[in-house]
Amino acid sequence: MEQQGATSPDLAVSETDGTISIELNFKAFADNVPTSQHAKRAPSHGDPSLQDFADQALEFAALRAELKRLTRDHEILQQQAAAREARIDELRRELSSARMQLREAQRQQSQAFAEATIAQEPPHVGPQLLPLDRPDSPIALSRDIVTIGRTSKSDVCIRSSAVSRDHARLLVAPNGVTLVDVSSTNGCFVNDVPVKKHRLRDGDLVRIGDRSFRFACSPAGS
């Protein structure tokens, strides 16, 4: 004789020939039992050991559901942490790029400032000889000793038979320029006056052989 006892949908109890069998639907408990709901006793069947087993089964199902929820929450937290790390890496790359752009902008600004400063500085003008026949072609006296003669070895080369091979010297010093005749054949003249050694002044007319120059000194050497 088989007797079916009254059970809940998740707990089935049957009795056959004095033997009681219990079937528990653990999956239903794992999926559907709220974590706030404690295990409740099933209707009594007059067997304390059976009731205790049913209570333990219900508690196990509730714990399993809670574990499943916690696992799901842990996965969500891991995903959020991974998203935050990715965002932090992206911000670090953006910060590094911004720093590089800032350094490049500062370098360009410094370079532009230096170029502007150089452009504003007046060019240094040293003493010069200005050929009267070619005043737009000044001869800069940039050495301490400037040689004047007919040969190409001279610093100031004058291709004229009236000019000696080694005709004169210009001694350039911070405080002025001095013209020295080097035993030339036709001599040196300053303002049409023959000289052997003469300190030049700004605007002096210098004649070497048959070539004439006007001497111009820098403001510092005048």
Side-chain angles (χ1 to χ4, degrees), residues 11 20 39 44 71 97 102 112 121 157-158 162 171 180 194 204 219 221:
L11 175 63
I20 298 175
S44 176
T71 301
S97 177
L102 178 60
E121 293 179 353
C157 179
I158 303 175
L171 307 181
V180 179
D204 281 347

Side-chain angles (χ1 to χ4, degrees), residues 119-202:
Q120 292 175 358
E121 293 179 353
H124 175 72
V125 179
Q128 298 175 328
L129 287 180
L130 307 176
L132 294 186
D133 56 345
R134 297 184 61 186
D136 58 340
S137 301
I139 301 172
L141 306 179
S142 57
R143 296 185 179 183
D144 294 340
I145 300 177
V146 179
T147 60
I148 301 175
R150 191 172 68 243
T151 66
S152 58
K153 294 181 180 180
S154 300
D155 297 324
V156 180
C157 179
I158 303 175
R159 300 291 187 180
S160 172
S161 57
V163 178
S164 300
R165 292 174 59 85
D166 190 9
H167 198 105
R169 299 279 190 279
L170 288 172
L171 307 181
V172 182
N175 58 349
V177 177
T178 301
L179 173 65
V180 179
D181 186 355
V182 189
S183 302
S184 62
T185 301
N186 296 314
C188 299
F189 296 82
V190 176
N191 300 324
D192 293 329
V193 177
V195 296
K196 288 296 184 181
K197 185 176 182 180
H198 182 82
R199 181 173 177 177
L200 300 176
R201 296 183 179 179
D202 188 41

Side-chain angles (χ1 to χ4, degrees), residues 89-104:
D89 291 340
E90 182 181 357
L91 292 175
R92 286 173 179 169
R93 289 192 296 269
E94 292 178 357
L95 178 60
S96 178
S97 177
R99 286 175 176 172
M100 292 179 61
Q101 292 177 0
L102 178 60
R103 285 195 293 267
E104 179 64 18

Side-chain angles (χ1 to χ4, degrees), residues 40-66:
K40 297 180 180 179
R41 287 182 173 271
S44 176
H45 295 282
D47 188 349
S49 63
L50 176 62
Q51 184 63 58
D52 291 342
F53 180 77
D55 290 344
Q56 292 176 2
L58 290 172
E59 184 178 0
F60 175 76
L63 292 175
R64 183 176 178 182
E66 178 67 10

Side-chain angles (χ1 to χ4, degrees), residues 21-41:
S21 62
I22 300 175
E23 295 182 3
L24 295 176
N25 189 345
F26 291 104
K27 184 175 186 305
F29 279 109
D31 295 337
N32 301 317
V33 175
T35 57
S36 60
Q37 181 177 347
H38 297 286
K40 297 180 180 179
R41 287 182 173 271

